[in-house]
Every structure is written in structure tokens, then in C-alpha cells.
Amino acid sequence: FDDLIGAGFEKLLKGPGGDWSCKGRITPQMSGSLGTISEGVLVTLMTQAARSLIRELGKHDHVIESMTSYFVRPVQLESEVVIVPRLLELSRKSAKLEVEVDDPGGLAAKAMLTVQLIDPY
């Protein structure tokens, strides 16, 4: 199910520092009861972006320990969104990230995540 949600999103490189984002369109299958994107789908998109960033850092085994999401305003169907994950802190056992979702009107949602990294022996 998660793969179907993220299927229409492409990874874009932003700059020489290796920053990147995901860009995609909100489809009618992602809608909730009010005709906007479902909060569950939005959280799934944000966690997928965070997991991709952690995997890119070479940390393949990890578990999301906590996540706090802020929904600033509803995201309309058929709008183009950009999801930007940013690494805030990385240690041997954990990582802290923030993920922003921007639509044509500006910031639509934000999440703060703590990820527990699992060291292979």
C-alpha cells in the first residue's frame, strides 16, 4: 500500500550539497472525507521521504521512534506538492529529521521525526 502511495513521486536533486526533495501530484485516490488529502496518506508520504534520506546516509536498518506532525492547512486534490526532508542531527544510535510539505500556496504540513538506528553486528 505504501508503494502505491509514493508511486507518483519523483526524487529531485536541489543543489551541490546533496539536498533533495520529492515532487508529485495529489491524486483522487488519496482523498479523505472532506475532498482534501487524507492525513494518513500525508503522514505516509512524509515518512517515506524521511526513510529515503536515512537510507541515503547508509543507515539501512532503522525504526521510527517518534513523529510529531503539524498540518498547517489542507492540501487540495490535483495540486503539485514538494516534500523536503532535512537531517537535523545524526549520531551513532539515532537521527533527528524534519520533513516539510509545500504546495502552491506555501507550507502545508511539517513533521519532526526521531529515528533509532540499528547497528549491524
Side-chain angles (χ1 to χ4, degrees):
F1 186 66
D2 289 349
D3 293 337
L4 290 172
I5 291 173
F9 283 79
E10 62 179 326
K11 187 175 172 179
L12 305 170
L13 289 177
K14 272 191 162 176
D19 294 339
W20 60 273
S21 61
C22 296
K23 185 177 183 180
R25 186 169 294 282
I26 303 303
T27 62
Q29 291 85 358
M30 298 176 179
S31 69
S33 59
L34 298 174
T36 59
I37 188 170
S38 166
E39 289 86 0
V41 171
L42 196 53
V43 166
T44 300
L45 289 170
M46 290 190 286
T47 57
Q48 284 179 351
R51 287 183 187 276
S52 294
L53 180 61
I54 293 293
R55 271 190 236 105
E56 194 173 277
L57 295 170
K59 308 291 185 184
H60 295 284
D61 296 329
H62 60 275
V63 177
I64 294 178
E65 195 173 272
S66 69
M67 179 174 179
T68 304
S69 2
Y70 302 95
F71 302 108
V72 179
R73 58 190 168 72
V75 179
Q76 298 299 317
L77 296 180
E78 298 300 328
S79 63
E80 188 99 1
V81 296
V82 177
I83 303 170
V84 183
R86 286 188 194 92
L87 183 66
L88 300 176
E89 180 185 347
L90 178 65
S91 68
R92 193 171 66 82
K93 295 198 177 251
S94 68
K96 292 184 173 124
L97 300 97
E98 76 172 356
V99 182
E100 290 184 354
V101 178
D102 297 317
D103 68 356
L107 181 67
K110 189 170 195 164
M112 301 293 288
L113 292 94
T114 302
V115 177
Q116 182 180 3
L117 306 173
I118 301 168
D119 287 332
Y121 291 103

